[in-house]
Amino acid sequence: MAPFSGDGVLWLCLGISLFFAVRGIATDLRQVVDLTEVKHVDREEKIISEGTEEALKLDTLLKLSSSTSHDLRAAALRIIAERSTKGETRDILLDDLSSKNKVRQGRALTALNFLVSNRALSRTSVCTRLRDLPAYTAIINCLCNFLDEHTEVTYPTTSPVLARTRPLGEKKALQILNILLPENIPAALEAGIVTRWLSKYPFPCALDEPSRRQDVVILLKTWWSDDTVMSSIFSNLTSHAEGIKQLRKYGLMGSMLEEENEQDDDDEDDDGDSDVWMVDGEDTAGSYRGSSSRRPQDGNAEGTSSSSKAKRSYGFK
């Protein structure tokens, strides 16, 4: 056979080059198609994630909540919080909160306080799931149950607004109410925050003689530093028309004219000598005077903490 001529070799090399060029172009085109293809990965991952969360047991979540990884710990707490505030578990939580059984009540208070105040849960929907009438009713029931426990002096204070007989567990319930109240004031009013609870609350200024029950709102504004949580609750109530109406109806707030006269009296006292309610001394005019910037009484601080026990207070299916 005759050897290839120069032209034959040239055509052979050209053919081989074209073959590899075509294969390379085809491969590149397939890569372009793969890169530009629209996929539903997010939806698939979400479905897998939701299924995984539902499958996780409480013991596993508790271990994850103690992880050194911030992301794992936050995710575990979020799942626990979501489960705690929906369905049958939420119903049990609210029932325990309304219970007069101190063990059940204390467990529910610790759990709920953790759920609404923990920073790791600030971006969850916990508070939005607890802003309906049944939730506020349970909280008010809890606070009403504490009214019967105002029997012994726990805070030997001369404050006109801080209850001297406040039970230790009541502060936690007040903190929960204070956080949830702005979410739905009308529901809280319907649940009886004024009619069932505040109307019977033993404010010192209402119990002392002469009584200044109708000045509770004014005194809480003036002596706010003595009981910041209660002052905040009243501030929210007085920002709502129905709240003001109920406070006046039940004698915790005077009329607008009386409030103006009270303010005028305070202004006059600032310009000259004023009658002052004396501690361990004789009563003069029988009225409290204070400054909004006054320092809280010693011993008024009430210890608060969000216990990690809340994370294991309730079992989940």
Side-chain angles (χ1 to χ4, degrees):
M1 183 175 179
F4 285 106
S5 63
D7 289 342
V9 173
L10 179 62
W11 282 108
L12 178 62
C13 293
L14 182 60
I16 294 173
S17 300
L18 287 174
F19 172 75
F20 284 106
V22 170
R23 289 193 60 180
I25 293 172
T27 302
D28 291 341
L29 288 174
R30 281 195 293 269
Q31 290 179 349
V32 171
V33 171
D34 291 339
L35 292 173
T36 57
E37 182 180 1
V38 178
K39 298 180 180 180
H40 301 284
V41 177
D42 294 341
R43 178 58 182 168
E44 292 174 357
E45 289 181 351
K46 182 177 180 181
I47 294 174
I48 294 173
S49 177
E50 290 176 351
T52 303
E53 288 182 5
E54 292 299 326
L56 288 173
K57 295 182 179 180
L58 182 60
D59 291 341
T60 303
L61 290 172
L62 291 175
K63 291 180 181 178
L64 291 174
S65 67
S66 302
S67 171
T68 55
S69 169
H70 173 76
D71 293 336
L72 281 177
R73 187 167 61 251
L77 292 177
R78 178 182 60 79
I79 297 171
I80 292 174
E82 295 291 337
R83 290 188 187 181
S84 302
T85 53
K86 66 180 181 181
E88 183 180 353
T89 307
R90 185 191 115 116
D91 295 338
I92 295 174
L93 178 63
L94 296 182
D95 285 344
D96 284 355
L97 190 64
S98 298
S99 175
K100 291 187 177 181
N101 182 292
K102 301 309 296 180
V103 175
R104 292 175 57 191
Q105 182 196 65
R107 185 174 58 198
L109 279 173
T110 300
L112 194 57
N113 188 52
F114 174 82
L115 290 173
V116 301
S117 62
N118 189 276
R119 291 183 179 181
L121 305 177
S122 59
R123 295 184 179 180
T124 65
S125 57
V126 170
C127 288
T128 60
R129 292 184 178 185
L130 295 170
R131 63 181 183 183
D132 57 357
L133 182 59
Y136 286 108
T137 300
I139 297 171
I140 300 305
N141 287 343
C142 178
L143 287 166
C144 287
N145 290 337
F146 276 118
L147 290 176
D148 295 334
E149 298 180 30
H150 280 262
T151 55
E152 299 180 1
V153 175
T154 54
Y155 297 97
T157 173
T158 57
S159 170
V161 292
L162 176 61
R164 300 157 193 157
T165 55
R166 172 172 290 172
L168 297 179
E170 186 182 79
K171 182 62 180 294
K172 197 172 291 185
L174 289 173
Q175 290 176 326
I176 295 170
L177 177 62
N178 186 40
I179 293 172
L180 296 178
L181 183 57
E183 297 286 335
N184 194 346
I185 295 178
L189 290 168
E190 185 178 352
I193 185 173
V194 176
T195 59
R196 297 172 51 217
W197 175 51
L198 290 176
S199 62
K200 302 174 183 178
Y201 196 79
F203 294 103
C205 61
L207 299 177
D208 292 342
E209 292 295 339
S211 174
R212 295 195 64 185
R213 179 182 173 81
Q214 66 177 4
D215 294 333
V216 167
V217 172
I218 293 176
L219 291 172
L220 277 168
K221 289 180 179 179
T222 304
W223 295 64
W224 64 270
S225 60
D226 283 0
D227 194 348
T228 56
V229 178
M230 185 68 82
S231 296
S232 179
I233 290 172
F234 268 81
S235 178
N236 282 305
L237 290 175
T238 54
S239 69
H240 194 278
E242 180 61 25
I244 294 176
K245 180 179 178 181
Q246 289 192 17
L247 288 171
R248 284 179 172 151
K249 179 179 179 181
Y250 286 87
L252 296 171
M253 185 177 183
S255 64
M256 293 181 64
L257 180 60
E258 291 172 337
E259 291 174 17
E260 291 176 358
N261 291 337
E262 178 71 21
Q263 186 61 46
D264 291 341
D265 291 341
D266 289 343
D267 292 340
E268 291 177 3
D269 290 338
D270 290 339
D271 295 334
D273 294 337
S274 61
D275 291 334
V276 181
W277 186 78
M278 302 294 292
V279 179
D280 297 330
E282 296 181 355
D283 294 339
T284 53
S287 61
Y288 298 95
R289 299 296 180 199
S291 169
S292 59
S293 61
R294 68 184 298 276
R295 184 175 60 84
Q297 300 281 344
D298 293 338
N300 287 355
E302 302 173 51
T304 59
S305 63
S306 297
S307 173
S308 60
K309 293 181 180 179
K311 295 179 288 186
R312 55 178 179 271
S313 295
Y314 292 89
F316 307 103
K317 293 184 177 179

